[in-house]
Each structure stands twice: as C-alpha cells, then as structure tokens.
Amino acid sequence: MSLKNIILSIFKKIRQFFELILVTILIYMILLIPDVFLFMGDLNQYTWIRLVLNIIAGGLIAYFGYRYLVKQADVVFERLNRKKVGMSVIIFVITWLFLTFGLPAIFGHNPLPGSNQHAIDTIFNHLTNWWTLLLFSFNIVVIAPIVEEVYFRGIMFEEAKPLGRVVQILWPTLMFALVHSPSTLEQWAIYLTAGSVLMVVRVVTKKLQYTIMFHSLHNLVALLS
C-alpha cells in the first residue's frame, strides 16, 4: 500500500470516528427529551400528566429510532428462539448474582447509587398514588429498555460498524455507562458490567429483542428490590 493510500485510509477512519461522535451526541440529546417532563419544575404538580407525557415521548423516540434502524439492518426482531431466550436468562442470573454479591465483595461494601439512580429514587419517593406508581414502573420496565437498546445496541452499534468490531462493541458499551452518570469506581463497574453483558447478548443473539427482554427483566428486579 502506498503512502498516499495509507494517509487516505487514516483520514477516512478519522472522519468516520468524528461522524460516530456526532451521532453519539445526537443520541444523547434525543434521550434527554423524555426526562424534561420529569425533572423540570415541581414533580408534585401535575404528576400523572408529566408521567404520561414522559411515556409518550419515550414511545415516540423508540418508534422513530426503530424505523430508522430497520432501514439500516435486520437486527431487531425474529421468531422467538428458545435457546437464545434460555441463554439470555442464564446470563441474566449470573449477572444478577455478580452485581448483587460479587461487586460488594470486591469493593468491600454495597456501591452507593449514582446520580441517575438517585434521581429515579427521588421520583419514586414522590409518587403516592397507585396509578402514578404504575405509570413510572411502566416507563422503567418497558419504555426505557426499548429506547436504550434501540439507540445504544441498535443505532449506535450499527453506526460504529465501519470502525471495526472492537470499536463497534466497546463504544456503545462505554457510552451506555456514561449516560447513566456514574461518579465512583463502583458505579462505573456496575454500568460497564451491565453494558458489557447486554452487548454479549446482542452479539451472540444478533437480535435486539433479547437485549430488550434482558434489560426489562433487570430493571424489573431492580425496581422490586
């Protein structure tokens, strides 16, 4: 390969990485939209309306993300595969055991909740009516996993493909952890572990439906605990 071709190849990779950064910033801004309804103003005012608007915004974001993704690649749904479901459940159990018992043993204590988890706990503590609790739980268990999987292990994963397999796997995993605002080593360990395991499920099953199921189950267990 000539020097000219090498230089052109390097500049091409730089351009592709810059484009990936722009896509990542756009995704981050899009994901902030539903939270506007929850974190602006006093949550005690018009609570159920804010929760409904949060769910609608999240649903629309998931829908348009899905529509964009299916035009790029057939990676979202397939007829349920029992082996893939069983494997996803086994991976989930192992991950839950590690996060529940492994990490506290490594760090010597239970990790303090990050700002993202603290915000969720704050909202949850403000909800007193069963219908507002149900709406918020629906958002956490259904809407949020769909949105995050479509955008991180769907769109971002596919957009990173030109930069090679390593970047394609590591970049969405790192950005997934970063968007959850970890502030300590323990919190980074939690979100990087969760992101890495979800990426394993994504790469092995090749379909987002299994990562969505995994993510929803994880959020449900976390919500119940």
Side-chain angles (χ1 to χ4, degrees), residues 165-182:
R165 195 63 163 174
V166 173
V167 175
Q168 188 182 23
I169 290 173
L170 293 183
W171 184 261
T173 302
L174 179 61
M175 293 302 105
F176 173 78
L178 186 62
V179 81
H180 287 86
S181 306

Side-chain angles (χ1 to χ4, degrees), residues 137-150:
S137 299
F138 179 76
N139 183 46
I140 295 296
V141 177
V142 179
I143 300 298
I146 294 175
V147 170
E148 291 184 359
E149 294 310 311
V150 166

